[in-house]
Amino acid sequence: MIIQRNLFLNWEQNFMQQFLAILKQYWGYDQFRPLQSEIIQSIASGNDTLGLMPTGGGKSLTFQVPAMALDGVCVVVTPLIALMKDQVENLKTRNISAAAIYSGMSNDEILTTLDNCIYGAYKFLYVSPERLSTAVFIEKIKLTKVC
């Protein structure tokens, strides 16, 4: 039991070191804010995690940093188009590939974005909840490596 616990602690420390390196590289911070580490550790441990934080508390980093350490596209579901656009632009300024699918896009734009996800062109894909149930999204996401 002690050996198993020590292996887990070493694994957890390695992941946290990797997360801190990603945080520094892309966001320029040396450490996480309060609650961020706990949420990220829970995610890294494979737990379903609900992170409740105040506005401006850095919620986005709690899924963006772990996703950067994993292979595949991180699918982010939000009903707020303005938030999608803001998050995508923020990630792009940090040289992180991101896209959003929202109402007002043409079918060709949606298909191109989803195809680019299949081919690994994006690290983050922001979508609205209603998009999840569309036939095109379901078909394309099955072909996409999601982290």
Side-chain angles (χ1 to χ4, degrees):
M1 192 68 143
I2 292 172
I3 294 171
Q4 193 174 22
R5 175 77 177 144
N6 286 340
L7 287 173
F8 176 75
L9 289 175
N10 288 336
W11 172 84
E12 189 176 66
Q13 288 171 347
N14 288 338
F15 256 119
M16 285 311 290
Q17 288 173 352
Q18 184 179 9
F19 296 150
L20 285 168
I22 290 168
L23 180 69
K24 180 68 174 175
Q25 178 182 351
Y26 291 99
W27 284 271
Y29 301 125
D30 293 318
Q31 59 186 354
F32 292 105
R33 291 182 183 174
L35 298 178
Q36 288 177 324
S37 289
E38 291 86 348
I39 294 168
I40 290 170
Q41 284 175 334
S42 179
I43 293 168
S45 297
N47 297 318
D48 292 334
T49 305
L50 174 64
L52 298 175
M53 299 175 70
T55 301
K59 290 180 289 293
S60 296
L61 283 180
T62 64
F63 66 83
Q64 290 170 342
V65 170
M68 292 296 292
L70 299 170
D71 290 333
V73 178
C74 176
V75 178
V76 182
V77 181
T78 177
L80 306 172
I81 294 174
L83 176 69
M84 284 186 205
K85 290 179 177 180
D86 181 63
Q87 291 287 310
V88 167
E89 288 309 311
N90 187 301
L91 289 166
K92 285 181 177 180
T93 64
R94 298 174 192 291
N95 293 316
I96 300 171
S97 57
I101 297 177
Y102 47 85
S103 60
M105 293 176 69
S106 71
N107 283 338
D108 285 345
E109 290 171 317
I110 292 168
L111 288 173
T112 298
T113 300
L114 290 170
D115 284 341
N116 283 330
C117 285
I118 293 169
Y119 300 124
Y122 298 119
K123 186 64 192 170
F124 292 91
L125 175 64
Y126 287 77
V127 297
S128 60
E130 61 273 8
R131 181 69 51 195
L132 299 175
S133 62
T134 64
V136 170
F137 183 84
I138 292 168
E139 174 190 327
K140 297 289 186 177
I141 205 70
K142 286 178 184 177
L143 301 172
T144 303
K145 181 171 182 149
V146 177
C147 61

PDB file of all heavy atoms in Angstrom, residues 77-90:
ATOM      1  N   VAL A  77     -17.811  23.454 -23.646  1.00  0.00           N
ATOM      2  CA  VAL A  77     -19.217  23.725 -23.921  1.00  0.00           C
ATOM      3  C   VAL A  77     -19.651  24.943 -23.121  1.00  0.00           C
ATOM      4  O   VAL A  77     -19.537  24.970 -21.898  1.00  0.00           O
ATOM      5  CB  VAL A  77     -20.094  22.514 -23.551  1.00  0.00           C
ATOM      6  CG1 VAL A  77     -21.555  22.786 -23.874  1.00  0.00           C
ATOM      7  CG2 VAL A  77     -19.593  21.258 -24.269  1.00  0.00           C
ATOM      8  N   THR A  78     -20.133  25.955 -23.839  1.00  0.00           N
ATOM      9  CA  THR A  78     -20.626  27.163 -23.187  1.00  0.00           C
ATOM     10  C   THR A  78     -21.733  27.778 -24.047  1.00  0.00           C
ATOM     11  O   THR A  78     -21.640  27.774 -25.274  1.00  0.00           O
ATOM     12  CB  THR A  78     -19.502  28.195 -22.949  1.00  0.00           C
ATOM     13  OG1 THR A  78     -20.068  29.384 -22.371  1.00  0.00           O
ATOM     14  CG2 THR A  78     -18.792  28.565 -24.238  1.00  0.00           C
ATOM     15  N   PRO A  79     -22.768  28.308 -23.420  1.00  0.00           N
ATOM     16  CA  PRO A  79     -23.850  28.930 -24.191  1.00  0.00           C
ATOM     17  C   PRO A  79     -23.536  30.378 -24.590  1.00  0.00           C
ATOM     18  O   PRO A  79     -24.290  30.978 -25.339  1.00  0.00           O
ATOM     19  CB  PRO A  79     -25.032  28.882 -23.225  1.00  0.00           C
ATOM     20  CG  PRO A  79     -24.400  28.961 -21.884  1.00  0.00           C
ATOM     21  CD  PRO A  79     -23.099  28.208 -21.999  1.00  0.00           C
ATOM     22  N   LEU A  80     -22.444  30.915 -24.114  1.00  0.00           N
ATOM     23  CA  LEU A  80     -22.146  32.335 -24.314  1.00  0.00           C
ATOM     24  C   LEU A  80     -21.192  32.555 -25.485  1.00  0.00           C
ATOM     25  O   LEU A  80     -19.989  32.274 -25.384  1.00  0.00           O
ATOM     26  CB  LEU A  80     -21.549  32.924 -23.032  1.00  0.00           C
ATOM     27  CG  LEU A  80     -22.381  32.712 -21.761  1.00  0.00           C
ATOM     28  CD1 LEU A  80     -21.603  33.168 -20.544  1.00  0.00           C
ATOM     29  CD2 LEU A  80     -23.704  33.439 -21.880  1.00  0.00           C
ATOM     30  N   ILE A  81     -21.719  33.084 -26.584  1.00  0.00           N
ATOM     31  CA  ILE A  81     -20.902  33.311 -27.777  1.00  0.00           C
ATOM     32  C   ILE A  81     -19.794  34.315 -27.490  1.00  0.00           C
ATOM     33  O   ILE A  81     -18.652  34.134 -27.922  1.00  0.00           O
ATOM     34  CB  ILE A  81     -21.780  33.769 -28.961  1.00  0.00           C
ATOM     35  CG1 ILE A  81     -22.720  32.643 -29.379  1.00  0.00           C
ATOM     36  CG2 ILE A  81     -20.912  34.196 -30.148  1.00  0.00           C
ATOM     37  CD1 ILE A  81     -23.731  33.022 -30.440  1.00  0.00           C
ATOM     38  N   ALA A  82     -20.094  35.352 -26.742  1.00  0.00           N
ATOM     39  CA  ALA A  82     -19.077  36.357 -26.424  1.00  0.00           C
ATOM     40  C   ALA A  82     -17.918  35.722 -25.652  1.00  0.00           C
ATOM     41  O   ALA A  82     -16.745  36.034 -25.896  1.00  0.00           O
ATOM     42  CB  ALA A  82     -19.685  37.504 -25.630  1.00  0.00           C
ATOM     43  N   LEU A  83     -18.243  34.819 -24.728  1.00  0.00           N
ATOM     44  CA  LEU A  83     -17.197  34.124 -23.968  1.00  0.00           C
ATOM     45  C   LEU A  83     -16.367  33.247 -24.898  1.00  0.00           C
ATOM     46  O   LEU A  83     -15.139  33.214 -24.795  1.00  0.00           O
ATOM     47  CB  LEU A  83     -17.806  33.283 -22.854  1.00  0.00           C
ATOM     48  CG  LEU A  83     -16.817  32.440 -22.052  1.00  0.00           C
ATOM     49  CD1 LEU A  83     -15.914  33.327 -21.207  1.00  0.00           C
ATOM     50  CD2 LEU A  83     -17.547  31.443 -21.181  1.00  0.00           C
ATOM     51  N   MET A  84     -17.034  32.535 -25.800  1.00  0.00           N
ATOM     52  CA  MET A  84     -16.317  31.690 -26.765  1.00  0.00           C
ATOM     53  C   MET A  84     -15.301  32.516 -27.539  1.00  0.00           C
ATOM     54  O   MET A  84     -14.127  32.161 -27.620  1.00  0.00           O
ATOM     55  CB  MET A  84     -17.282  31.089 -27.784  1.00  0.00           C
ATOM     56  CG  MET A  84     -18.118  29.976 -27.336  1.00  0.00           C
ATOM     57  SD  MET A  84     -19.018  29.383 -28.802  1.00  0.00           S
ATOM     58  CE  MET A  84     -20.416  28.647 -28.001  1.00  0.00           C
ATOM     59  N   LYS A  85     -15.781  33.607 -28.118  1.00  0.00           N
ATOM     60  CA  LYS A  85     -14.915  34.447 -28.943  1.00  0.00           C
ATOM     61  C   LYS A  85     -13.761  35.015 -28.129  1.00  0.00           C
ATOM     62  O   LYS A  85     -12.614  35.032 -28.585  1.00  0.00           O
ATOM     63  CB  LYS A  85     -15.725  35.565 -29.592  1.00  0.00           C
ATOM     64  CG  LYS A  85     -16.683  35.072 -30.660  1.00  0.00           C
ATOM     65  CD  LYS A  85     -17.469  36.218 -31.262  1.00  0.00           C
ATOM     66  CE  LYS A  85     -18.386  35.767 -32.372  1.00  0.00           C
ATOM     67  NZ  LYS A  85     -19.151  36.885 -32.973  1.00  0.00           N
ATOM     68  N   ASP A  86     -14.047  35.466 -26.912  1.00  0.00           N
ATOM     69  CA  ASP A  86     -13.017  36.028 -26.036  1.00  0.00           C
ATOM     70  C   ASP A  86     -11.972  34.971 -25.683  1.00  0.00           C
ATOM     71  O   ASP A  86     -10.762  35.236 -25.746  1.00  0.00           O
ATOM     72  CB  ASP A  86     -13.662  36.594 -24.771  1.00  0.00           C
ATOM     73  CG  ASP A  86     -12.647  37.214 -23.844  1.00  0.00           C
ATOM     74  OD1 ASP A  86     -11.999  38.205 -24.249  1.00  0.00           O
ATOM     75  OD2 ASP A  86     -12.485  36.701 -22.711  1.00  0.00           O
ATOM     76  N   GLN A  87     -12.419  33.773 -25.326  1.00  0.00           N
ATOM     77  CA  GLN A  87     -11.497  32.701 -24.956  1.00  0.00           C
ATOM     78  C   GLN A  87     -10.627  32.284 -26.140  1.00  0.00           C
ATOM     79  O   GLN A  87      -9.424  32.075 -25.992  1.00  0.00           O
ATOM     80  CB  GLN A  87     -12.264  31.496 -24.415  1.00  0.00           C
ATOM     81  CG  GLN A  87     -12.907  31.721 -23.078  1.00  0.00           C
ATOM     82  CD  GLN A  87     -11.898  31.745 -21.952  1.00  0.00           C
ATOM     83  OE1 GLN A  87     -11.065  30.856 -21.834  1.00  0.00           O
ATOM     84  NE2 GLN A  87     -11.967  32.762 -21.124  1.00  0.00           N
ATOM     85  N   VAL A  88     -11.237  32.157 -27.310  1.00  0.00           N
ATOM     86  CA  VAL A  88     -10.486  31.763 -28.502  1.00  0.00           C
ATOM     87  C   VAL A  88      -9.425  32.815 -28.822  1.00  0.00           C
ATOM     88  O   VAL A  88      -8.257  32.484 -29.073  1.00  0.00           O
ATOM     89  CB  VAL A  88     -11.429  31.524 -29.701  1.00  0.00           C
ATOM     90  CG1 VAL A  88     -10.649  31.422 -31.005  1.00  0.00           C
ATOM     91  CG2 VAL A  88     -12.262  30.268 -29.473  1.00  0.00           C
ATOM     92  N   GLU A  89      -9.796  34.077 -28.785  1.00  0.00           N
ATOM     93  CA  GLU A  89      -8.830  35.148 -29.076  1.00  0.00           C
ATOM     94  C   GLU A  89      -7.715  35.180 -28.036  1.00  0.00           C
ATOM     95  O   GLU A  89      -6.543  35.364 -28.374  1.00  0.00           O
ATOM     96  CB  GLU A  89      -9.525  36.506 -29.174  1.00  0.00           C
ATOM     97  CG  GLU A  89     -10.359  36.661 -30.431  1.00  0.00           C
ATOM     98  CD  GLU A  89      -9.603  36.323 -31.702  1.00  0.00           C
ATOM     99  OE1 GLU A  89      -8.467  36.826 -31.900  1.00  0.00           O
ATOM    100  OE2 GLU A  89     -10.128  35.536 -32.512  1.00  0.00           O
ATOM    101  N   ASN A  90      -8.073  34.989 -26.773  1.00  0.00           N
ATOM    102  CA  ASN A  90      -7.082  34.972 -25.706  1.00  0.00           C
ATOM    103  C   ASN A  90      -6.086  33.828 -25.914  1.00  0.00           C
ATOM    104  O   ASN A  90      -4.874  34.020 -25.762  1.00  0.00           O
ATOM    105  CB  ASN A  90      -7.787  34.841 -24.349  1.00  0.00           C
ATOM    106  CG  ASN A  90      -6.847  34.980 -23.185  1.00  0.00           C
ATOM    107  OD1 ASN A  90      -5.891  34.216 -23.046  1.00  0.00           O
ATOM    108  ND2 ASN A  90      -7.121  35.944 -22.336  1.00  0.00           N
TER     109      ASN A  90
END
